[in-house]
Amino acid sequence: MKPAEIEIRDLKKESAEVLSKLINLDDFLQDHEGGLEYEQKRLLRVQRTILRSYYEVLKQRIYAFKAEKD
């Protein structure tokens, strides 16, 4: 396997893990909408924003590696 293919595979794996965490966090926020204090919600939303941004960066890196490979 070429280094670029390994990098793409690793990025896809990490992207899937981040997406899974993002989905779990969304589910948690939805399930506990009324039971969380304002500060807890705010911190979880900040965490969600960071995860979402990181997920988007990973997707961009995957596309860049694919474009470079082709």
Side-chain angles (χ1 to χ4, degrees):
M1 208 180 257
K2 297 178 184 175
E5 292 171 341
I6 293 170
E7 184 72 22
I8 290 171
R9 187 193 66 205
D10 291 346
L11 287 171
K12 283 183 176 181
K13 181 180 175 186
E14 188 170 353
S15 176
E17 290 172 3
V18 170
L19 184 58
S20 175
K21 289 178 184 180
L22 190 57
I23 290 169
N24 288 338
L25 183 56
D26 282 345
D27 289 344
F28 179 83
L29 282 169
Q30 207 168 32
D31 291 345
H32 296 86
E33 187 68 31
L36 296 172
E37 293 181 20
Y38 173 78
E39 188 65 22
Q40 291 172 320
K41 285 182 191 177
R42 189 179 71 78
L43 290 173
L44 289 171
R45 287 187 180 121
V46 168
Q47 182 180 2
R48 186 195 183 286
T49 301
I50 293 167
L51 282 172
R52 183 67 186 176
S53 296
Y54 185 50
Y55 176 72
E56 291 299 324
V57 167
L58 289 172
K59 282 184 13 182
Q60 290 173 2
R61 288 185 65 199
I62 290 168
Y63 292 136
F65 271 110
K66 284 183 177 180
E68 198 175 282
K69 191 176 98 171
D70 294 338

